[in-house]
Amino acid sequence: MFAFSMTSPAEVISDLSEKMKRRRIDAGLTQRDLAAKAGVSYGSLRLFEETGKISLEALVKIAFVLEAEAEFGHLFPPRPPKTIDDVVGRPVRQRVRKK
């Protein structure tokens, strides 16, 4: 599971790109190898490792090649209930209305 305790989005992005790079190297893949296997451009992969910028689709494709796709299931877990009313008798919200 992801254990981000960073202080800014930039730190989360940097940490994520570093972890992906480490996993790529541990798998014995060059940037070109991983890009080809994932079906993303070499430039996109390189840019991600250098700056953290990448599309979500490309990131997911890379995660599948590196066998890290299950981690995406942990990104947005439901918040734990705070009161008994949150647990009992309250329908699940489908959207938020403007006030």
Side-chain angles (χ1 to χ4, degrees), residues 16-85:
L16 187 60
S17 67
E18 283 297 318
K19 287 179 179 181
M20 187 281 303
K21 181 178 180 180
R22 173 63 23 220
R23 193 135 180 188
R24 173 184 64 77
I25 291 168
D26 290 346
L29 296 170
T30 65
Q31 288 178 331
R32 288 193 189 277
D33 291 339
L34 179 55
K37 286 178 182 258
V40 301
S41 73
Y42 164 70
S44 291
L45 180 64
R46 200 173 115 230
L47 185 66
F48 179 55
E49 287 191 9
E50 291 175 5
T51 68
K53 294 182 181 183
I54 194 167
S55 74
L56 179 59
E57 181 179 3
L59 182 60
V60 171
K61 287 178 178 181
I62 290 167
F64 268 83
V65 173
L66 295 175
E67 299 177 351
E69 72 280 358
E71 300 303 321
F72 286 98
H74 302 286
L75 279 178
F76 296 103
R79 292 183 182 260
K82 294 179 182 173
T83 68
I84 191 70
D85 290 335

